[in-house]
């Protein structure tokens, strides 16, 4: 019953509904080509690409020092700063489609420019959107009062909450910690000092 409540809450979000609908439509479109190895490689490339961008965008864009440009500051507040201020606010848990869809379109256009293959391009977008929905679910569950079913889910929830309540300079991965481990932003929680700005990114010095 508890899971049913949170599934309903998750799928009632506008951005999730739209992303899910486009994902399903694109998946149906590529179904006749699933006997091609290139299609599966394109899906995998989309998934891996999103898994990497999850970390890179979170660390290097969402955690930019507060910019002086008012428009950019407002953008960062909506996309991430305000989420640190109020981590349980459902309106701030999900990436808006006005942000995610242009990025998906841009990267997919890059794939088409490289391959000239529309089927592979759509398959790549399917991989990206599929992993995006996986990311959104894991992020949603990390911030809701529910215990994930799997040990991996419980571990990643714990790691993500360290990022929000212990120190914003570490633990940028939401679905996986591997880039944190490889790029020096994974630390043992007990050995990490609590940041004074973990709940207010705008207070960090510019």
């Amino acid at each position: 019953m508890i899971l049913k409540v949170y599934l309903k809450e998750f799928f009632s979000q506008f951005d999730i509904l739209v992303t899910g609908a486009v994902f399903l439509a694109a998946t149906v479109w590529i179904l006749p080509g699933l006997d091609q190895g290139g299609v599966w490689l394109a899906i995998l490339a989309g998934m891996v690409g999103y898994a990497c961008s999850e970390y890179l965008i979170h660390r290097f864009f969402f955690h930019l020092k507060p910019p002086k440009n008012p428009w950019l500051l407002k953008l960062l507040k909506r996309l991430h700063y305000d989420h640190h201020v109020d981590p349980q606010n459902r309106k701030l848990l999900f990436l808006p489609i006005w942000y995610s869809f242009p990025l998906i379109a841009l990267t997919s256009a890059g794939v088409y420019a490289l391959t000239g293959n529309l089927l592979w391009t759509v398959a790549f977008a399917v991989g990206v959107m599929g992993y995006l929905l996986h990311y959104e679910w894991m992020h949603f569950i990390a911030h809701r009062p529910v215990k994930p079913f799997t040990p991996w889910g419980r571990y990643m929830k714990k790691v993500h909450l360290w990022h929000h309540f212990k120190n914003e300079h570490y633990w940028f991965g939401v679905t996986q910690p591997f880039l944190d481990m490889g790029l020096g932003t994974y630390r043992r929680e007990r050995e990490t000092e609590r940041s004074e700005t973990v709940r207010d990114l705008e207070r960090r010095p510019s």
Side-chain angles (χ1 to χ4, degrees), residues 136-160:
E136 293 282 31
W137 173 253
M138 290 196 70
H139 189 226
F140 172 73
I141 287 298
H143 288 283
R144 305 307 287 149
V146 60
K147 184 178 181 179
F149 284 128
T150 67
W152 183 261
R154 293 191 291 272
Y155 167 70
M156 288 309 304
K157 175 170 183 167
K158 178 174 64 176
V159 169
H160 186 63

Side-chain angles (χ1 to χ4, degrees), residues 66-83:
K68 292 182 171 56
N69 182 283
W71 180 86
L72 182 56
L73 178 60
K74 183 178 180 180
L75 177 67
L76 286 172
K77 281 173 63 64
R78 168 58 187 89
L79 291 175
H80 202 64
Y81 284 12
D82 288 351
H83 176 50

Side-chain angles (χ1 to χ4, degrees), residues 2-13 16 83 87-95 131-148 153 156-157 160-161 164 174-175:
I2 293 176
L3 179 61
K4 185 178 179 180
V5 169
Y6 288 110
L7 280 169
K8 182 178 180 181
E9 188 177 294
F10 180 75
F11 284 107
S12 68
Q13 302 300 315
I16 297 301
H83 176 50
Q88 308 308 117
N89 187 333
R90 278 183 295 167
K91 294 180 180 179
L92 301 172
L93 282 181
F94 303 96
L95 293 172
Y131 203 95
L132 168 59
L133 289 168
H134 169 61
Y135 162 87
E136 293 282 31
W137 173 253
M138 290 196 70
H139 189 226
F140 172 73
I141 287 298
H143 288 283
R144 305 307 287 149
V146 60
K147 184 178 181 179
M156 288 309 304
K157 175 170 183 167
H160 186 63
L161 294 180
H164 273 283
V174 174
T175 65

Side-chain angles (χ1 to χ4, degrees), residues 58 63 84 142-143 154-173 177 180-181 185-195 198-199:
H58 188 185
H63 279 256
H84 271 261
H143 288 283
R154 293 191 291 272
Y155 167 70
M156 288 309 304
K157 175 170 183 167
K158 178 174 64 176
V159 169
H160 186 63
L161 294 180
W162 291 345
H163 173 78
H164 273 283
F165 296 101
K166 190 66 179 283
N167 196 307
E168 76 275 21
H169 302 293
Y170 303 100
W171 312 299
F172 292 99
D180 278 302
M181 292 175 176
T185 51
Y186 189 95
R187 291 184 65 181
R188 293 184 179 180
E189 185 267 338
R190 292 181 181 178
E191 298 173 0
T192 305
E193 66 286 354
R194 187 181 187 280
S195 167
V198 69
R199 296 292 301 278

Side-chain angles (χ1 to χ4, degrees), residues 10-128:
F10 180 75
F11 284 107
S12 68
Q13 302 300 315
F14 173 77
D15 299 294
I16 297 301
L17 280 173
V18 174
T19 303
V22 175
F23 168 74
L24 288 175
T27 300
V28 169
W29 194 85
I30 67 169
L31 281 177
L34 290 182
D35 59 341
Q36 301 178 29
V39 171
W40 288 101
L41 284 175
I43 293 172
L44 180 62
M47 295 173 66
V48 172
Y50 192 90
C52 292
S53 71
E54 165 196 318
Y55 174 91
L56 296 171
I57 291 174
H58 188 185
R59 179 180 177 183
F60 295 109
F61 179 53
F62 288 174
H63 279 256
L64 276 174
K65 295 294 178 65
K68 292 182 171 56
N69 182 283
W71 180 86
L72 182 56
L73 178 60
K74 183 178 180 180
L75 177 67
L76 286 172
K77 281 173 63 64
R78 168 58 187 89
L79 291 175
H80 202 64
Y81 284 12
D82 288 351
H83 176 50
H84 271 261
V85 174
D86 188 5
Q88 308 308 117
N89 187 333
R90 278 183 295 167
K91 294 180 180 179
L92 301 172
L93 282 181
F94 303 96
L95 293 172
I97 57 172
W98 54 256
Y99 165 80
S100 57
F101 274 29
L103 290 180
I104 294 170
L106 185 63
T107 53
S108 297
V111 171
Y112 185 76
L114 287 172
T115 67
N117 189 308
L118 182 60
L119 179 62
W120 291 3
T121 300
V122 177
F124 173 84
V126 165
V128 171

